[in-house]
Structures are given as structure tokens and as C-alpha cells.
Amino acid sequence: MDKNMYCNGEWIGADLDRIKVTNPATGEVIGSVPNGGKSETKQAIAAANEAFKGWSKKTANERASYLKKLYELVVNHSDELAELITKEMGKPKQEAAGEVGYGASFIEWYAEEGKRVYGETIPASHDNKRLHVWKQPVGVVAAITPWNFPAAMITRKVAPALAAGCTVVLKPAEDTPLTALRIAELVEEAGFPKGVFNIVTGAPDVIGTELMENPIVKKVTFTGSTEVGKLLMRQAADNVKKLSLELGGHAPFIILDDADVDKAVQGVVASKFRNAGQTCVCANRIYIQPKIYDAFIEKFNQEVDKLIVGDGSNDNVHIGPLINQSAYEKVDRHVQDALKQGAKLVTGGSGFEQEGAYFYKPTILKDVRDSMLIMNEETFGPVAPIQLIQSDEEAVQLANQTPYGLAAYVYSEGLSRGMKVVEALDYGIVGWNDGLPSVAQAPFGGMKESGLEREGGHHGIEPFLETKYVSIGL
Ligand code: ADP
């Protein structure tokens, strides 16, 4: 499956070197995309700039009708998109189908939300003045997306940007460009005007530098590592580019002793093992109080033992491969470090390599301590480390003891008790008795070093809008 870049309504880059795309479950090459660079990025930015003139002047209703067409096309092609996601990213079929549904929900939601971009009138201090606040699209937007949600991370950024009246240049992750380009084909089929949505593939630093330095780009929205996020922030300083960043996380999963243990087991299995643990909101560390410590671990272990590891295109598989060798090595380093420092292995604890594909068994570690690597660094793998804690205060203190602040989870059946813990957590998203809190209509994003701004909800369109204050003298 060889695809080209999408720029100004045309498919470009056929003459460039190719970047191979492989299936992480088999190591097999499944396609290729062009190795675009500075000049293709400039071309895409110029196309988006030209298209902005017309797109920003369309009514919200007109923009909504294009987005609704795109939504229908994505839904009608969900099986095919899911299959492609599994092929280039590795997540199991059913999860991939879930991602397509989740991704499509942002298109549908923002088609409508674009109609609710309201301004304000403000009472004036003089009877001959009228004060207004207008909302206007920021301009050309650059979106840089990661590999772990090849479809949804695109729609979560692009749908609100387009609904707001912005035009977009997207740089998808090098591991998963095929899903992005398939979505571009659907954008073309939906009849969007040329240049409204463009995709460039190639070397991340070269494309990234042009997107950051080019003054036509007014806003950059990024999901990925904290390291690259910080680099983009530094690059943004030179022309004070607006930024939305959704960076790393290290989610604490706190189970208080008044929790419903079965619910907590379900929640942690969903949060921890989804996408083989490769999401920024995956539970990274589990804290449990003594009264339910053993009972929880026993039930959790029974559930984890049912999880099957393998190629996600097989119907019975729950945990696909890790994205690459270095991901595998990091996961194993976290496990070995914990074991060396005295953690006890409940299940799993190793992985395997198969013709260039890397798998890790779902793993539970108990009696983990907060000095261990796994309790501090983002693991991005199917490993659940459990630490015994005593008080609710200790849970909060440990949970907040990190530069990250994306997602946290609290299991407690007590209203006052749960509320106090949830309020004290420095996290942008908290699932209280809920292991899967993310939906299109709610704000997703982090505090502290986990990011800037929010995606989803009415909050998610704001970063694509400028506020213009207009004072009118009569
Ligand atoms: P991960 O560790 O999840 O791969 P990255 O931050 O490396 O996270 O990647 C997320 C996205 O950022 C990808 O699209 C990747 O190509 C892009 N990226 C990586 N390095 C740079 C860079 N120097 N400038 C701009 N984008 C980059």
C-alpha cells in the first residue's frame, strides 16, 4: 500500500525517496510514503494559507456540512480503517474499531460545536460606545500526531480546527502515516475545498522546524513525548506561536479500601492493558490500601491471566505488539529494575521477539516502592506495578509527586472520601470509579508538564480561535 502526500487537493511526492511502513506484529513491510521535507512543508503551508481565505469566510453551517459528510464516510469505512490501524500500529481489531468510533465522534461533535462559537457584548462605560467580543479562527494550524492512536489523534485536532474556520497542515507519526492518508482520501471524497486539509510525511525534525519557524503557521497542536513538546515550545518562542500540547503522563490508579473491588479490577484492566499499555492515560502505578490489597491482587491476576498476547488481527487477541524494539527494551528495563529492587512478580515479567516484532506478556508486580523506575518514568507497556499505601493522604502525596499531571484514577464508594482525594489531585482528568473517562464532549489534557490547553468539549475549539475586542463609538 503505497500512498503519497496530500497537498492543495493533490497527491504529491511520488518522485521522492520512500519511507517504509511496517506491521509491528509481523515485521512485514506493508507500504510506503514519501520522505517529504522543507519544500513540501512550505508548499502545504502556502496551500493552507490560500485556502484559509475562503474557508474562514464560510458559515459555520457550511463548514458543518462538510464535516458531517466526512463523519459519514469515516463511519461507513470503519471496518477498513480499523483493519489499517491494526496493520500499521498493532492494536487488536476490536480496539481499532473502538478507536475509529471514538475518532469519528470528534468530527460529529465539532461539526455542531462550530455553530456555537459565540461572541459577547459588554456593557459600555459611555452611552456613545458599544463593546463587542468576536471570535475568529487563528489561521493556518499545524498538527503533529503520535502513532498510538493513528486516527483519533488526528480527528481530535483537525475537526475542531476546521470547524473553527482554520485550515490544517498535518504531520502524522512516521510509524502510522497510512491511516492518516486514508483519512485524507475521505476528506477529498467529502469534497472539502482544496488546501483546507494537507498532509506532509517525512523527517520529523525537518518538517517540524519548518512548521515552527514559518510565520504563516499561527498555531501548532501536538500530541507526543514531553521531550519533543518542550522542543516545540522553545521553537515557538521566536514567533510566539500558539501551542496546544498533550504530552506524557504517569497515571496513578488509587484504590481506597472502601472501593468496590470488582469494579476496580475491571477499571484497571481497561485502563492498564488497552493498547498494550501504550496510551498516555494508561494507569502507570497502582496504589492500594491494606484491607483489600490481597483480595484485589488475586482477582486482578485472574482477569489478567485471561488476556491473550499476539497479532491483533487474530480475533481472540487482547494485547498486540509493542510499537518497536526500543519500546520493548524500556518496558523490560522497568520490570527488571523493580524485580532487582525487591518487587514480587505476580504474573508475566517477560516478553518475546518474533521476526522483528516485539511482544510483552501482561505483567503484575506487587510490593513495589516509589523509588523504582517504573513508579517515576512513563512505561508505555502492559505492566501493572502495585504499591501498598496506608492513608488517603499518602495516596494523594504519592500521586502528585511527579512532574506529570494528565490522568489519575480513584476508586472509592464513599462520596466525601472520594471527593476529598479527587479534589487534591493535580491532574487534568480524573476517573472516579471510571477507567475510561475520555469522550468527545469532555475536555482532555494535562496539568503541569503534561501539557497546555484541552482537546474535546467546547474547551477544545477555543485554542483555534482568537478573541477580538471591538469598541465601537457611535
Ligand atoms: P513518541 O515517543 O510517542 O514517538 P514523539 O514525540 O517522538 O513521541 O512523536 C510524536 C510526534 O512528534 C510524531 O509525529 C513525531 O514524528 C513527531 N516528532 C518527533 N520529533 C519531532 C521534532 N523534532 N519536531 C517535530 N515533530 C517531531
Side-chain angles (χ1 to χ4, degrees):
M1 192 183 300
D2 299 317
K3 290 188 188 287
N4 289 323
M5 297 184 279
Y6 189 58
C7 176
N8 207 24
E10 285 172 16
W11 295 92
I12 66 162
D15 49 335
L16 298 172
D17 293 344
R18 310 292 299 179
I19 305 174
K20 286 181 186 146
V21 183
T22 55
N23 180 338
T26 60
E28 176 201 357
V29 175
I30 54 165
S32 73
V33 297
N35 187 13
K38 195 178 171 74
S39 88
E40 291 75 24
T41 310
K42 271 183 181 295
Q43 205 179 321
I45 294 170
N49 196 33
E50 190 55 32
F52 180 73
K53 294 176 194 159
W55 185 250
S56 59
K57 293 286 177 292
K58 287 197 185 296
T59 64
N61 279 306
E62 284 171 325
R63 290 194 291 259
S65 69
Y66 287 101
L67 285 163
K68 284 182 187 169
K69 262 185 234 157
L70 178 62
Y71 167 73
E72 272 163 27
L73 284 166
V74 169
V75 170
N76 292 341
H77 291 81
S78 24
D79 291 347
E80 178 208 335
L81 283 165
E83 202 178 303
L84 187 52
I85 291 172
T86 299
K87 254 192 182 160
E88 69 174 347
M89 189 265 133
K91 71 178 61 171
K93 261 188 194 174
Q94 270 180 339
E95 270 190 46
E99 178 184 340
V100 177
Y102 172 71
S105 72
F106 286 91
I107 308 175
E108 184 189 36
W109 206 81
Y110 281 109
E112 294 302 327
E113 190 57 17
K115 300 174 186 172
R116 292 185 284 269
V117 172
Y118 302 140
E120 281 175 68
T121 57
I122 297 175
S125 316
H126 303 279
D127 63 4
N128 63 343
K129 286 198 181 192
R130 299 292 180 270
L131 315 184
H132 291 247
V133 178
W134 296 351
K135 294 285 182 177
Q136 296 183 323
V138 290
V140 173
V141 169
I144 303 176
T145 52
W147 50 265
N148 60 346
F149 287 88
M153 291 306 102
I154 294 174
T155 57
R156 200 160 84 173
K157 294 178 181 340
V158 172
L162 297 183
C166 298
T167 53
V168 177
V169 176
L170 168 74
K171 194 212 83 61
E174 47 276 35
D175 292 306
T176 58
L178 299 175
T179 306
L181 291 163
R182 184 68 190 110
I183 291 173
E185 288 167 4
L186 298 179
V187 166
E188 184 180 40
E189 204 177 323
F192 280 78
K194 63 178 190 171
V196 166
F197 178 62
N198 308 275
I199 297 193
V200 193
T201 56
D205 51 340
V206 178
I207 296 171
T209 302
E210 180 59 30
L211 292 174
M212 297 312 293
E213 286 179 355
N214 195 315
I216 294 172
V217 175
K218 295 294 183 296
K219 159 96 196 168
V220 174
T221 170
F222 169 81
T223 297
S225 62
T226 304
E227 187 194 347
V228 174
K230 287 181 179 176
L231 169 74
L232 299 182
M233 244 178 137
R234 280 184 220 110
Q235 292 177 324
D238 280 342
N239 49 25
V240 195
K241 227 180 265 305
K242 296 183 188 332
L243 276 181
S244 290
L245 301 175
E246 206 267 272
L247 309 178
H250 201 277
F253 199 107
I254 300 168
I255 307 171
L256 302 180
D257 58 15
D258 67 343
D260 176 326
V261 171
D262 292 325
K263 248 197 235 173
V265 167
Q266 254 180 29
V268 85
V269 168
S271 165
K272 177 69 259 181
F273 296 106
R274 188 162 67 105
N275 217 6
Q278 302 174 111
T279 89
C280 46
V281 294
C282 274
N284 211 124
R285 48 203 164 113
I286 301 164
Y287 299 119
I288 311 186
Q289 293 179 326
K291 211 166 90 187
I292 53 167
Y293 190 75
D294 292 329
F296 174 85
I297 291 172
E298 195 187 325
K299 287 191 173 175
F300 183 34
N301 190 20
Q302 282 165 10
E303 290 306 309
V304 171
D305 273 347
K306 295 179 194 160
L307 302 177
I308 297 168
V309 184
D311 182 339
S313 62
N314 296 329
D315 281 334
N316 61 344
V317 164
H318 306 100
I319 299 189
L322 294 175
I323 191 71
N324 54 33
Q325 182 176 2
S326 78
Y328 174 91
E329 284 166 359
K330 182 178 191 191
V331 172
D332 199 48
R333 183 154 29 90
H334 282 189
V335 171
Q336 299 315 323
D337 168 79
L339 292 174
K340 204 159 73 196
Q341 292 198 55
K344 295 197 185 74
L345 189 64
V346 179
T347 187
S350 62
F352 54 97
E353 191 247 316
Q354 208 168 274
E355 293 171 27
Y358 293 87
F359 297 87
Y360 212 87
K361 292 183 199 156
T363 297
I364 304 176
L365 300 167
K366 67 173 185 176
D367 301 349
V368 169
R369 288 192 316 277
D370 54 307
S371 58
M372 297 172 184
L373 218 50
I374 198 163
M375 298 311 251
N376 298 285
E377 282 181 17
E378 196 173 21
T379 308
F380 246 58
V383 184
I386 304 175
Q387 180 170 349
L388 183 68
I389 50 145
Q390 300 299 330
S391 63
D392 297 9
E393 291 71 24
E394 187 186 6
V396 170
Q397 189 256 323
L398 287 171
N400 287 342
Q401 187 181 289
T402 168
Y404 295 114
L406 186 55
Y409 304 87
V410 177
Y411 275 68
S412 165
E413 291 296 312
L415 180 63
S416 311
R417 195 173 168 193
M419 188 76 85
K420 281 182 198 148
V421 172
V422 170
E423 275 180 3
L425 292 172
D426 300 331
Y427 284 82
I429 304 162
V430 181
W432 180 357
N433 295 337
D434 184 3
L436 298 171
S438 180
V439 285
Q441 66 271 32
F444 184 107
M447 294 184 185
K448 294 160 59 178
E449 290 189 21
S450 285
L452 296 175
E453 304 286 3
R454 296 293 183 269
E455 294 181 329
H458 66 86
H459 319 79
I461 199 165
E462 278 295 326
F464 300 106
L465 296 165
E466 278 286 15
T467 297
K468 183 181 280 179
Y469 162 52
V470 184
S471 175
I472 307 169
L474 300 181

